């Protein structure tokens, strides 16, 4: 696990460098929204999605800088969604990763614009030749990221999360919600590596299956942490789902049932990677890491 | 002018059809955000930007359906910006095009998500082969739209508009603000036609110059209407800029000076189109129309 943590930290740092370069500070009044975009995108986090992009791309010997650009684009979308999610009109959160949220550090209007700016910039990064020399690959990434993050993906999941139906969802409903709200971006992360590497169909299918199971397990562990973790470890308040009356995997399956389910998913996810041999060792360890994480 | 109005109405209808097809209603809880996206994108408007795309593309004999797809993508970005602009955290507007704004018809959270969804979908449309068979052209459009609508374009302009410096801007400052906030998308509209038609450099430069002058004149006329128009004609309250203490072209140049400036810009814009001959007649008339509009 020590080697994985080192690799994760290294990718986090390399992704931050690409983000830092793309989101260069500018003078004048415009500078404020760029500053807010930087605050929202460069504030740490595990950078799990970038790591999945980089590791999936490595399976197909994609140049590292290309993978890091796709990773940065994906992270911009992830961070924009957190900024908008935290707004008073949405979850109304004051804390994120142990720091004030963007609208608390700046103001609501700037947070709306910073989110919009990051979402827009993500597509600028994917369209840039540094992401891939072949325009066909770049446009495939644009289409895939738009599909994963729009109303048929992440935005749709956020809508379900805010709906009156949310509290009464059954296991199928929560699973569907997870697939849209967080699963779609995790799947994009792994598929982006395959796109960059022009991977054959069987490799793409294996990565998509791995990503689906990993993403679901990730959410179940999130629910377990929210139910049982400490706010200090997590960097944000816990017990929120129960307080809000939201149906969760833990509510549906119980603490033990949820834990067993997550373990089974991770076991299956790991076997999806058999065809990649040792090259997929970090992806296998990532699955185990997701299961064991405490924050 | 009658023929122009007919052509404008026809393009508005054709653009609405593409938007309607792309934003097809979906069942379940996700349906609410799609419904809000439809409400925000299909609620009328002059569809000036789509018309500019279609007419610029026609100069190079681009198939109409391709131009309409690029037009729909651009309109999605325009409409998302109106939805977010109207939010309580931003301009806090209750009315848009004579109807309740999206957050008044739905709620704040749904309006945030609907804007996010439309922005995302715009890039999905541009990445689609129906917009152009050549991936290199599609990715060029993606890059151009992202540049026009991000922090170096529209979002940056919105940030300036909300800044404390806003009220004290001089003529250069207001012109810069306009170029970012509204000019960038109008320029994209004309350049998209050139991209779709793989136009030569001189044609692109002529269209970009036309678009720059048209966009600036458009904003000056907006200021004139806000200062002197009636709320009934405009479909939204007037006199808002003065009430908010915002520096405007009318404030800087006076009613007469602003009118003269707009007329000169439109005259120049029309001559930019000389190299296109009769094919650019509608674009010339559009410039005159922008000058004479009452709403």
């Amino acid at each position: 696990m020590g080697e994985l943590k080192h690799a994760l930290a290294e990718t986090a740092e390399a992704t931050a460098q690409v983000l830092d370069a793309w989101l260069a500070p500018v003078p004048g009044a415009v500078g404020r929204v760029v500053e807010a975009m930087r605050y929202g995108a460069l504030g740490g986090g595990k950078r799990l999605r970038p790591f999945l992009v980089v590791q999936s791309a490595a399976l197909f010997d994609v140049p590292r800088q290309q993978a890091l650009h796709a990773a940065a684009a994906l992270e911009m979308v992830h961070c924009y969604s957190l900024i908008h999610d935290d707004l008073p009109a949405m979850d109304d959160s004051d804390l994120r990763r142990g720091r004030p949220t963007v609208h608390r550090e700046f103001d609501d209007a700037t947070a709306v614009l910073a989110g919009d700016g990051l979402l827009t910039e993500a597509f600028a990064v994917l369209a840039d030749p540094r992401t891939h020399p072949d325009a066909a690959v770049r446009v495939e990434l644009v289409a895939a990221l738009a599909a994963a993050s729009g109303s048929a993906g992440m935005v749709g999941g956020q809508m379900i999360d805010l709906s009156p139906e949310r509290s009464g969802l059954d296991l199928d409903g929560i699973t569907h919600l997870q697939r849209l709200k967080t699963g779609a971006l995790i799947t994009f992360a792994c598929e982006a590596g395959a796109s960059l590497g022009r991977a054959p169909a069987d490799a793409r299918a294996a990565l998509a299956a791995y990503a689906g199971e990993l993403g679901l397990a990730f959410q179940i562990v999130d629910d377990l942490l929210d139910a049982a973790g400490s706010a200090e470890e997590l960097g944000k308040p816990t017990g929120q789902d129960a307080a809000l009356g939201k149906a969760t995997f833990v509510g549906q399956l119980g603490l033990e049932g949820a834990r067993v389910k997550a373990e089974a998913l991770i076991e299956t996810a790991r076997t999806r990677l058999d065809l990649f041999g040792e090259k997929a060792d970090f992806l296998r360890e990532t699955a185990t890491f997701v299961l064991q994480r405490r924050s």
Side-chain angles (χ1 to χ4, degrees), chain A residues 39-47 75 79 97 99:
Chain A
Y39 182 89
L42 292 169
K46 287 177 292 294
R47 309 287 192 195
E75 197 65 2
C79 292
R97 294 169 181 160
R99 298 190 311 164

Side-chain angles (χ1 to χ4, degrees), chain A residues 1 17 35 41 79 85 106 139 145 166 177 179 186 264 270 280 287:
Chain A
M1 232 4 116
Q17 280 179 16
E35 202 188 325
C79 292
D85 241 10
F106 295 81
V139 88
L145 184 60
R166 174 67 182 86
L177 164 61
R179 196 175 300 135
I186 289 174
R270 289 173 58 103

Side-chain angles (χ1 to χ4, degrees), chain A residues 188-201:
Chain A
F188 171 83
C190 296
E191 289 184 335
S195 291
L196 288 167
R198 293 194 180 90

